[in-house]
Amino acid sequence: MLMKTKALWLIILGLLLCLPLWAAKGDDKPPEFEMKLQKAFEEISTLNLINGLNLTQDQIKQIIECNKELETLRQDCNKEFESVASDTMDAYGKLKEAVEKNQGIPKDVERKAFMMEQQVKQIREEMMSEASNIEKKLEAVLTEAQMEVVNTFNPCLIPPKNLKEPVRAGQANDNDHILNMFKRIRSLPSDVYDKEKDKIVSRHLEEIQKHIGNLTQEELEQEKQNTIAVFDKVRAMKDVEFELNGPEVATEYMKHGKKLKGEELRDEMMKLNQTRHGGLGRVGRYLLGPTVVQVLTKRLEMMKS
């Protein structure tokens, strides 16, 4: 029963980064290799994120403290789950027997199962609410730029360019590739650009569709006109103006790309789900958990020495 409650906690926190291959086979437990592989991936991915955040010693200490609070909460919740586990499984067992017989459910059996379901639900909701409060405390530890890194982070084995260098305040997004594209567009002679821009934009949109899926003809035409307008805008800038305003235009273009890929909708849905049901968001999922504590404890020792 203890294993069941621990599994429930892990599901709620969303600490598993991916569905293990063994799950589809119906085995009772994962092969040792799969467990080691998943653990190694989680450790490396967490290190990539921590490296990208460039945390101070004080921030690391506060994040570790938040994790200790969560661990205490987890232990308390396990005790509460254990206190109702026997009665709950007994009530569910009797309900299952009645349903299997398909001759109606006795009122006392139905009432007991419903009551135990509500008790478990209440414990879970209180736990998720308290975990959410710990996450809010953790969010207050991070700078705005660090929050942006977490919000755009995807678990990875090999870190993308924006995580290979420590985060710089106000420059959390990696828009270098877009700026470089703008520079290439600006370097084209006018006659070449005017003649080839339709082909250039079409190839650009073909590459985008490889990542987000095919657009409808109407969407494709709209994106084509939008991209041409952006390219025309950056080409019309003087060199000094581009140096000053180019990064901002690149950031706006990148935001449009996120919207096109549905990432903004995904983030909004996640926030809505949190508001309605509680639980943890990105900060909690990536910076709360045993692996994070291990990584940060070692990092703190390295920084002190």
Side-chain angles (χ1 to χ4, degrees):
M1 187 58 64
L2 180 60
M3 290 300 294
K4 290 182 179 179
T5 56
K6 286 184 177 179
L8 174 62
W9 175 253
L10 289 173
I11 292 171
I12 293 170
L13 291 185
L15 295 178
L16 297 179
L17 297 178
C18 59
L19 183 67
L21 299 176
W22 54 267
K25 301 177 183 178
D27 296 338
D28 291 333
K29 63 180 181 178
E32 185 177 356
F33 170 72
E34 289 294 340
M35 294 176 66
K36 289 181 178 180
L37 192 65
Q38 182 175 318
K39 186 174 185 295
F41 179 88
E42 187 174 348
E43 288 175 346
I44 294 170
S45 182
T46 300
L47 279 166
N48 287 334
L49 175 58
I50 297 303
N51 289 342
L53 290 175
N54 195 28
L55 299 163
T56 66
Q57 287 192 38
D58 185 56
Q59 284 180 313
I60 291 176
K61 290 176 182 177
Q62 292 183 70
I63 294 174
I64 291 175
E65 190 59 36
C66 287
N67 274 275
K68 289 181 179 178
E69 288 184 36
L70 189 66
E71 174 60 20
T72 300
L73 172 63
R74 184 188 70 80
Q75 292 177 2
D76 291 343
C77 287
N78 278 342
K79 291 177 182 177
E80 290 193 54
F81 278 127
E82 283 298 308
S83 69
V84 300
S86 179
D87 288 343
T88 301
M89 297 310 297
D90 181 64
Y92 279 27
K94 290 179 180 178
L95 178 62
K96 178 184 175 183
E97 289 178 7
V99 174
E100 283 178 337
K101 292 178 180 178
N102 195 26
Q103 295 178 354
I105 303 173
K107 289 294 183 183
D108 60 326
V109 172
E110 181 179 312
R111 184 166 52 252
K112 181 66 174 180
F114 176 76
M115 183 179 72
M116 298 314 302
E117 178 193 27
Q118 293 305 304
Q119 284 193 35
V120 171
K121 183 179 179 181
Q122 182 178 351
I123 294 172
R124 186 186 298 120
E125 288 178 349
E126 290 176 355
M127 172 180 64
M128 293 172 75
S129 176
E130 291 184 43
S132 182
N133 289 333
I134 294 173
E135 182 183 32
K136 289 177 183 176
K137 185 185 297 186
L138 176 54
E139 289 175 352
V141 173
L142 304 177
T143 66
E144 184 178 344
Q146 288 169 332
M147 280 291 296
E148 182 63 22
V149 169
V150 177
N151 286 331
T152 56
F153 174 73
N154 289 310
C156 55
L157 195 64
I158 307 299
K161 183 178 179 181
N162 64 319
L163 287 183
K164 289 181 179 178
E165 298 179 2
V167 65
R168 297 178 294 277
Q171 199 173 347
N173 283 322
D174 177 23
N175 58 9
D176 288 349
H177 63 292
I178 298 177
L179 273 174
N180 289 333
M181 178 179 68
F182 286 171
K183 290 176 182 177
R184 291 195 296 271
I185 293 296
R186 283 171 55 81
S187 68
L188 294 174
S190 296
D191 58 335
V192 175
Y193 174 73
D194 291 338
K195 181 181 178 181
E196 301 292 334
K197 67 179 177 182
D198 282 352
K199 292 181 182 178
I200 294 171
V201 172
S202 294
R203 285 198 298 269
H204 175 62
L205 293 177
E206 284 175 8
E207 288 299 315
I208 289 177
Q209 289 180 94
K210 290 179 182 178
H211 300 283
I212 68 173
N214 292 332
L215 299 171
T216 66
Q217 193 60 41
E218 183 180 351
E219 290 172 333
L220 198 59
E221 184 59 33
Q222 184 177 351
E223 288 308 313
K224 182 177 180 180
Q225 296 304 318
N226 176 69
T227 304
I228 289 176
V230 173
F231 286 178
D232 287 347
K233 179 178 180 179
V234 296
R235 279 182 59 83
M237 291 181 177
K238 296 184 182 299
D239 290 344
V240 175
E241 184 183 3
F242 180 74
E243 288 297 320
L244 292 173
N245 300 325
E248 183 179 348
V249 177
T251 298
E252 287 301 315
Y253 189 75
M254 186 165 58
K255 286 181 179 178
H256 176 74
K258 285 185 65 177
K259 184 176 180 180
L260 192 65
K261 289 189 288 185
E263 292 182 9
E264 285 189 352
L265 178 60
R266 177 201 62 196
D267 293 342
E268 287 300 317
M269 289 296 290
M270 185 179 296
K271 290 177 182 177
L272 179 60
N273 187 62
Q274 277 184 263
T275 301
R276 289 182 174 175
H277 305 292
L280 300 179
R282 279 180 164 269
V283 174
R285 281 162 48 207
Y286 297 135
L287 291 178
L288 289 174
T291 301
V292 177
V293 175
Q294 294 168 12
V295 169
L296 289 181
T297 300
K298 288 183 180 180
R299 180 58 52 88
L300 190 59
E301 292 173 355
M302 290 169 58
M303 294 172 73
K304 288 180 179 179
S305 62

